[in-house]
Amino acid sequence: MGSQGRKSALMICGDYMEDYEAIVPFQALQAFGIRVDCISPGKRSGDKCLTAVHDYMGYELYTELPGHSFPLNANFDEVKPELYDALIIPGGRFTELLCVDDKVLNIVTKFNEANKPIATTCHSQLILVSAEAMKGKACTGFPSLKFVIHLAGGVWKDPEPVTSCVLSGNVISAIGWPAHAEYIDILFRLMGVKVTGNQNRSVLMLCGDYVEDYEINVPFQALRGLGCKVDAVSPTKKKGEKCVTAIHDDEGAQVCSEKQGHNFIVTANWDEVKVENYDCLIIPGGRSPEFLVMDDKVVSLVKEFGDKNKIISAIDQGKLLLAAAGLLQGKRCASSYSMKAIVKVAGGELVKADSVTHGNLVTATGWPALPAFISDLVNILGISVAIAMTLNPDSPTSPVQWEETRAVLCGCLGRHVL
């Protein structure tokens, strides 16, 4: 495990880790060619960790809801920290268990002694405290940890605003998942990722209640992390109001289960949207497209993006709006079982791939395809992501090469480009 040249990150996982705080870095890094190995003590590759949704639902403290089953892809006992370029520790209640696990603390110590990036969120700073890696470091996190950071010899920084991170030496810290855009930006820079090209692109996302949890948030945070302006709008909600999301997960039944997910905050007012101000439209899936497709002004907006030859993208059920706007005729599309009949009747051509680009249209099968989808979208937006790759990781003086992520991804992410 680990990488012999290609950049890689190690993620320490556990049951009831925060759902977003695991999936966003996991999929965002993969989208740009960085391997992410996920491990947990007492579990092996193929085992799953249960995740937890942490969000404020009107009570004094955040509410915890059941999240996804997150599959691990590496074996804890076989990990060699020296082969990785960064360590990621999500927040969540599992940190209370792992902060007294000597093997976990040994991994953290090795990363810290090598001055490699360590990214923490919410409560995972507790593991760094236990590994004696917080002394002299500035740090933020969930406010209940403030006195703990002081006791460990760290310097507490209030998480203001909640979308901000603190970088102190090799340690990135944040209050939690709302800070993921800045978190990704900092982590990329520390790992030697260079972003060039049209970083100032403007992207509009359509959402409504029961939009798919990952499909709205992962592209939203990943594109913001690259420097794009990303707005999310809903026809019935104002800026600052919330859309409840839906978690769709494979739990062994004939179709996926559905559970309530995080709240997603709308960032712009519908009545102020002008198509000419955006380069790209993203329509996530979930059940929200069923509501949106019944609103003529939403379908008209999608059609206007098509008429003006803008980049249009849809994930899973988001293609329902493309069909209603007449934008699938003659187009090659990626689709899960849920949309195959609709793609066919709308004149589209089904392609067996996770993500498909046909002209200015990008489609994806669903949230497991998000790394390929984001990679394709970034490509068509004209944003270049390059990674400094160590040719010989065991040599501290080895030369590096800059390789465009697109070249890495074409053979490994199930892409189909016309």
Side-chain angles (χ1 to χ4, degrees):
M1 289 179 292
S3 174
Q4 295 292 334
R6 180 179 169 191
K7 289 287 185 179
S8 61
L10 182 67
M11 182 184 294
I12 297 178
C13 304
D15 287 328
Y16 301 108
M17 61 185 176
E18 212 292 324
D19 196 44
Y20 273 171
E21 293 172 24
I23 198 66
V24 171
F26 178 69
Q27 290 195 319
L29 267 64
Q30 287 184 94
F32 305 114
I34 299 171
R35 177 182 173 84
V36 184
D37 284 346
C38 301
I39 59 169
S40 183
K43 296 179 185 276
R44 296 186 61 81
S45 179
D47 292 344
K48 294 181 178 181
C49 288
L50 299 173
T51 70
V53 169
H54 287 170
D55 206 347
Y56 280 90
M57 307 278 180
Y59 303 102
E60 292 177 320
L61 191 62
Y62 58 86
T63 296
E64 178 170 299
L65 300 174
H68 291 77
S69 294
F70 187 96
L72 304 173
N73 60 5
N75 296 323
F76 183 87
D77 292 334
E78 298 172 7
V79 163
K80 297 180 179 179
E82 63 272 17
L83 296 181
Y84 294 91
D85 301 286
L87 176 65
I88 297 168
I89 314 176
R93 290 190 289 114
F94 83 107
T95 59
E96 298 168 358
L97 176 66
L98 268 57
C99 74
V100 292
D101 188 307
D102 288 339
K103 291 182 178 179
V104 170
L105 300 182
N106 183 55
I107 291 172
V108 173
T109 297
K110 288 183 177 179
F111 273 89
N112 194 51
E113 289 176 345
N115 202 36
K116 292 181 178 180
I118 301 175
T120 63
T121 44
C122 202
H123 294 79
S124 61
Q125 295 84 344
L126 184 61
I127 294 179
L128 270 65
V129 167
S130 193
E132 300 182 357
M134 255 348 318
K135 189 172 183 180
K137 298 277 179 66
C139 176
T140 192
F142 194 75
S144 62
L145 289 180
K146 180 177 180 178
F147 82 96
V148 180
I149 300 302
H150 284 315
L151 289 174
V155 179
W156 176 260
K157 299 288 184 181
D158 288 329
E160 294 292 342
V162 295
T163 55
S164 65
C165 296
V166 172
L167 174 62
S168 183
N170 61 317
V171 175
I172 306 165
S173 58
I175 189 175
W177 55 261
H180 266 142
E182 187 170 320
Y183 169 109
I184 289 168
D185 174 50
I186 295 171
L187 184 57
F188 276 4
R189 285 191 280 112
L190 293 182
M191 293 185 72
V193 177
K194 293 176 68 174
V195 182
T196 58
N198 298 319
Q199 296 167 257
N200 59 347
R201 290 286 202 170
S202 294
V203 177
L204 183 68
M205 300 189 76
L206 298 184
C207 59
D209 285 332
Y210 299 109
V211 63
E212 213 292 324
D213 197 24
Y214 286 173
E215 293 173 20
I216 183 69
N217 189 61
V218 177
F220 180 82
Q221 298 286 10
L223 291 172
R224 282 192 162 193
L226 295 184
C228 295
K229 178 190 179 214
V230 186
D231 287 334
V233 295
S234 180
T236 61
K237 299 178 187 286
K238 295 180 180 178
K239 180 179 179 179
E241 294 183 343
K242 297 175 180 178
C243 289
V244 64
T245 69
I247 289 174
H248 292 148
D249 203 10
D250 181 2
E251 295 186 343
Q254 289 179 317
V255 296
C256 63
S257 63
E258 180 175 298
K259 293 173 283 199
Q260 181 177 336
H262 299 80
N263 290 321
F264 185 86
I265 298 175
V266 173
T267 64
N269 294 316
W270 178 270
D271 293 339
E272 297 172 3
V273 169
K274 295 181 180 179
V275 172
E276 56 267 25
N277 292 337
Y278 295 94
D279 302 294
C280 173
L281 176 68
I282 301 177
I283 312 172
R287 288 195 293 112
S288 61
E290 289 190 71
F291 173 74
L292 297 176
V293 80
M294 295 186 285
D295 191 324
D296 290 342
K297 64 179 179 288
V298 177
V299 177
S300 294
L301 180 75
V302 175
K303 190 175 186 303
E304 188 179 351
F305 267 87
D307 291 342
K308 293 186 176 178
N309 203 32
K310 301 281 186 175
I311 298 166
I312 300 176
S313 61
I315 309 162
D316 207 10
Q317 294 93 341
K319 290 184 282 293
L320 186 64
L321 282 158
L322 300 184
L327 298 179
L328 290 182
Q329 183 67 44
K331 295 290 187 178
R332 296 191 177 186
C333 296
S335 180
S336 68
Y337 67 85
S338 63
M339 288 299 299
K340 285 184 177 180
I342 292 172
V343 169
K344 284 183 178 180
V345 79
E349 179 184 344
L350 294 168
V351 176
K352 192 175 182 179
D354 292 338
S355 178
V356 174
T357 300
H358 189 164
N360 278 352
L361 179 67
V362 183
T363 54
T365 54
W367 67 257
L370 284 173
F373 172 79
I374 294 168
S375 172
D376 284 343
L377 198 59
V378 166
N379 184 21
I380 200 171
L381 284 167
I383 301 171
S384 295
V385 180
I387 304 172
M389 292 188 173
T390 305
L391 298 181
N392 178 8
D394 297 322
S395 170
T397 58
S398 65
V400 297
Q401 63 182 0
W402 289 97
E403 180 173 326
E404 289 198 17
T405 299
R406 289 196 298 272
V408 177
L409 293 172
C410 282
C412 65
L413 283 180
R415 298 176 55 197
H416 182 95
V417 182
L418 279 182

